[in-house]
């Protein structure tokens, strides 16, 4: 799973989490339905935004959901999942952009892709995904040529970029591709007036995706000698953060100009969670409670039929580093540092569990999938390494101990950009 918008289930609350999962499963099943089981590996957190935006703008009607059969990743439970043109457009975009991502890794010679036979196989898979995305795009009336053109231009731009090249020159192809995808959701939903503001929101989202990927990979790229936009153009982290903050603010302003039937989930993902993604990438992750501890009434997120997403002009950037809460503190760990808690002597180290063999790990992986622990558990043991890992829906970067039943940190007025109370 890749993508920059990875919401914490504690903040989403039960209702929005169910909606988010419906779009995630809908994207996965749309990939399987049109392109087979293997295509499901390109399921990603950002692709489902296309499905979310399409449904948020559409008039309420039947046919947007269907009941899917049991799935190991849902603990063999059925679920209501998104379907229709929004999910298929999300699948098309995910396939084309995943194809581009694979080709980029091949060009950089990352990991196993540095080996010629593996790189050749990866190129064939990428080409297959590109063609599959084009077929699905055509089926819903979206021309993926703009995405392919952006991918092709990206290679040339990176080859010519050097110290002094504006960073936005490097991010432009990604901006163009995501702008086209966001704008087409307005066409699918029957709201052509939303195309312009959503194109702007998509352009800035693409900029953020490119920036955050560069920030998160800068150390590994430096170690491996891979190309990185920040290093190649000589852009500092301070300048990258400024560009990211400007993009966040621009997305909020663009969303205020769009009309939504029910924009609550889109608002949470593109305003709140996107801001937290920026903080996470730049190492300033936190719950987002205001430093002054201000409390206030809980406003509405934008109820169905309210038209516009709630926002306020000139709002401060969500989740700045000042005043954010860090990870919850649970007191001293008796096994790490600080000596023996029982008095004197060296600290005691817990025994490291041995790794599982291949077949034992496979059996453990099946068990984890069937019990839904990989998705929903706060922590589970890796099937082969036996290292502690977090479930993909519990990527919690908030201080969830701040209130009894933490649903988007309802205990205080965290959001400075609107009155929704998140």
């Amino acid at each position: 799973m890749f993508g920059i918008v990875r919401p914490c289930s504690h903040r989403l609350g039960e209702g929005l989490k169910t909606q988010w999962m419906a779009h995630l499963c809908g994207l996965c099943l749309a990939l399987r339905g049109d392109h087979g089981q293997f295509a499901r590996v390109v399921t990603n957190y950002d692709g489902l935004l296309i499905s979310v935006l399409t449904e948020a703008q559409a008039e309420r009607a039947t046919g947007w959901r269907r009941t899917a059969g049991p799935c190991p990743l849902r603990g063999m439970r059925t679920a209501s999942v998104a379907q229709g043109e929004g999910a298929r457009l999300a699948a098309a975009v995910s396939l084309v952009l995943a194809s581009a991502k694979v080709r980029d890794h091949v060009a950089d010679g990352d990991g196993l892709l540095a080996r010629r036979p593996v790189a050749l196989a990866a190129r064939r898979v990428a080409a297959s995904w590109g063609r599959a995305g084009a077929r699905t795009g055509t089926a819903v009336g979206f021309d993926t040529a703009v995405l392919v053109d952006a991918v092709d231009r990206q290679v040339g731009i990176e080859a010519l970029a050097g110290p002094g090249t504006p960073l936005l020159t490097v991010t432009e192809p990604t901006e163009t591709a995501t702008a086209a995808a966001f704008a087409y959701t307005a066409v699918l939903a029957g709201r052509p007036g939303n195309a312009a503001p959503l194109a702007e929101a998509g352009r800035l989202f693409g900029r953020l995706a490119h920036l955050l990927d560069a920030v998160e990979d800068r150390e590994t790229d430096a170690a491996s000698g891979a190309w990185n936009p920040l290093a190649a153009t000589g852009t500092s982290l301070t300048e990258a953060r400024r560009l990211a903050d400007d993009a966040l603010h621009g997305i909020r302003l663009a969303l205020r100009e769009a009309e939504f039937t029910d924009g609550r989930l889109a608002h949470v993902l593109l305003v709140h969670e996107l801001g937290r993604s920026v903080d996470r990438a730049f190492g300033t992750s936190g719950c987002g409670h205001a430093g002054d501890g201000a409390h206030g009434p809980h406003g509405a997120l934008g109820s169905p039929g309210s038209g516009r997403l709630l926002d306020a002009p000139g709002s401060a950037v969500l989740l700045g580093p000042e005043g954010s809460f860090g990870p919850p503190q649970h007191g001293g760990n008796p096994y790490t540092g600080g000596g023996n808690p029982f008095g004197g002597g060296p600290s005691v180290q817990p025994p490291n569990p041995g790794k599982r063999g291949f077949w034992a790990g496979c059996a453990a992986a099946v068990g984890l999938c069937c019990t839904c622990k990989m998705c929903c558990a706060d922590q589970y043991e890796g099937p082969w390494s036996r290292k502690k890992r977090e479930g993909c829906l519990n990527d919690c970067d908030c201080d969830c101990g701040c209130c009894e039943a933490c649903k988007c940190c309802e205990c205080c007025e965290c959001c400075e950009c609107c009155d929704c109370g998140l």
Side-chain angles (χ1 to χ4, degrees):
M1 294 287 288
F2 58 92
I4 62 174
V5 183
R6 305 191 296 270
C8 168
S9 59
H10 294 93
R11 288 191 299 260
L12 284 182
E14 195 59 37
L16 292 182
K17 177 184 174 182
T18 300
Q19 289 187 42
W20 186 78
M21 281 296 299
H23 289 284
L24 184 62
C25 292
L27 169 58
C28 181
L29 293 175
L31 287 165
R32 185 198 67 179
D34 288 344
H35 309 292
Q37 290 284 0
F38 184 66
R40 300 171 82 174
V41 302
V42 308
T43 303
N44 66 96
Y45 295 123
D46 296 343
L48 67 87
L49 291 173
I50 303 296
S51 179
V52 170
L53 284 172
T54 303
E55 188 174 283
Q57 299 171 77
E59 296 297 332
R60 298 297 90 183
T62 58
W64 288 100
R65 291 282 192 274
R66 71 178 179 87
T67 300
C71 174
L73 293 178
R74 291 193 299 267
M76 300 308 295
R77 294 189 296 266
T78 60
S80 176
V81 302
Q83 66 171 353
E85 293 183 328
R88 298 188 72 193
L89 176 61
V93 172
S94 295
L95 283 164
V96 174
L97 296 185
S99 170
K101 194 175 185 72
V102 170
R103 283 191 284 174
D104 183 58
H105 285 306
V106 170
D108 291 340
D110 294 337
L112 289 175
L113 295 176
R115 299 180 181 180
R116 187 181 182 91
V118 178
L120 180 61
R123 287 193 187 96
R124 290 179 176 175
V125 170
S128 173
W129 283 347
R131 292 191 296 270
R135 290 195 302 271
T136 300
T138 301
V140 296
F142 178 66
D143 186 2
T144 59
V146 64
L147 307 184
V148 176
D149 176 69
V151 171
D152 292 340
R153 285 189 297 108
Q154 185 74 54
V155 177
I157 289 173
E158 290 182 359
L160 297 174
T165 301
L167 187 58
L168 297 188
T169 300
V170 178
T171 63
E172 180 274 325
T174 308
E175 295 178 21
T176 301
T178 51
F182 273 46
Y184 198 72
T185 64
V187 177
L188 291 181
R191 289 186 182 267
N194 283 350
L198 289 183
E200 177 67 5
R203 183 179 68 83
L204 296 173
F205 181 84
R207 178 183 300 178
L208 269 177
H210 204 131
L211 280 174
L212 299 192
D213 184 63
V215 170
E216 292 176 342
D217 292 347
R218 70 190 188 283
E219 292 182 0
T220 55
D221 287 346
S224 64
W227 194 91
N228 184 281
L230 300 181
T233 60
T235 304
S236 67
L237 281 179
T238 302
E239 175 63 11
R241 179 65 194 242
R242 185 190 67 81
L243 292 172
D245 289 344
D246 286 348
L248 281 173
H249 185 60
I251 288 172
R252 295 185 191 117
L253 295 178
L255 290 177
R256 291 177 59 221
E257 300 301 318
E259 298 285 342
F260 292 89
T261 302
D262 182 357
R264 290 174 294 177
L265 182 58
H267 176 86
V268 169
L269 296 179
L270 288 171
V271 175
H272 296 269
E273 296 302 333
L274 193 53
R276 291 182 172 102
S277 298
V278 171
D279 280 331
R280 184 167 54 241
F282 284 92
T284 56
S285 175
C287 180
H289 292 135
D292 58 4
H295 287 62
H298 301 152
L301 270 169
S303 56
S306 61
R308 300 181 183 276
L309 291 175
L310 298 178
D311 206 342
S315 59
V317 174
L318 187 65
L319 292 176
E322 296 81 10
S324 358
F325 278 70
Q329 300 297 322
H330 299 293
N333 186 336
Y335 298 109
T336 56
N340 191 328
F342 302 105
S347 59
V348 179
Q349 297 296 329
N352 291 322
K355 294 183 178 180
R356 291 189 179 96
F358 177 75
W359 294 111
C362 288
V366 170
L368 289 170
C369 288
C370 291
T371 56
C372 209
K373 285 188 176 181
M374 282 188 175
C375 282
C376 303
D378 290 331
Q379 195 176 70
Y380 67 91
E381 191 178 76
W384 287 277
S385 67
R386 304 191 74 170
K387 293 180 179 179
K388 296 298 182 183
R389 304 183 185 280
E390 292 183 351
C392 64
L393 297 183
N394 283 278
D395 184 16
C396 182
D397 56 8
C398 67
D399 184 359
C400 297
C402 63
C403 48
E404 286 296 322
C406 183
K407 294 181 180 178
C408 303
C409 295
E410 294 174 340
C411 57
C412 58
E413 187 77 13
C414 298
C415 180
E416 298 177 0
C417 65
C418 63
D419 298 324
C420 65
L422 296 182

